[in-house]
Amino acid sequence: MEQLIFEHMETVRGITEKSIERIPEEMADIIPEGFNNSIRWNFGHIAFVQEKLVFGISGEKLNVPVNYERLFGAGSKPADWSEPPPSFREIASVLAGQKSRIKTFLHGRLDQQLPNPYTNRSGITFYTSGEAFLFGFYHEAIHMETIKQIYRSILNKG
């Protein structure tokens, strides 16, 4: 089952990686009416939250640039940025690099208890590494759908 879960991660993340490659970076920071964040923010948020769900809540050091939490953490938004955000290429590199690190770290540990149960902003509590990791697929899909909606909105307005 573990192998199947890691294959699913490759599929989900592959969709994300193809999207960041296809979307022109000129659209990265446009926030259409009705949206709170940009395409760049959503890709960065996917990377940061997956890092936190796999490594952070397990008590491990995060291996994303230190500014990712400020730029892309829950509750952040581009309107509050006081520093230049990373390029699509930089975010894509973080997204791609997470896959092998996650497989190595979680191999044989999906049932491992977290040092402390973790409750996310939606009120869902995770007790094991696997629960938090699997939630990451749902989270990534939600933000990919938002990216698609923002992209379509930009195209339809132009």
Side-chain angles (χ1 to χ4, degrees), residues 24-115:
E25 192 146 6
E26 306 84 66
M27 295 182 168
D29 299 310
I30 299 169
I31 303 173
E33 190 174 324
F35 293 91
N36 297 320
N37 288 305
S38 64
I39 291 172
R40 186 185 316 273
W41 182 90
N42 277 276
F43 280 126
H45 182 71
I46 289 168
F48 175 73
V49 168
Q50 187 69 315
E51 190 78 13
K52 183 175 179 179
L53 287 174
V54 172
F55 300 101
I57 67 174
S58 291
E60 300 292 317
K61 182 180 181 292
L62 301 185
N63 194 18
V64 294
V66 70
N67 64 346
Y68 270 47
E69 185 166 14
R70 284 191 309 275
L71 296 171
F72 305 122
S76 66
K77 59 185 182 291
D80 294 337
W81 290 350
S82 60
E83 61 191 290
S87 69
F88 267 9
R89 181 177 298 209
E90 292 167 314
I91 296 169
S93 177
V94 170
L95 290 166
Q98 279 180 331
K99 295 181 298 189
S100 61
R101 289 188 306 102
I102 287 170
K103 281 188 208 176
T104 300
F105 178 71
L106 287 180
H107 177 69
R109 298 169 76 170
L110 292 174
D111 292 326
Q112 182 174 333
Q113 294 289 310
L114 294 169

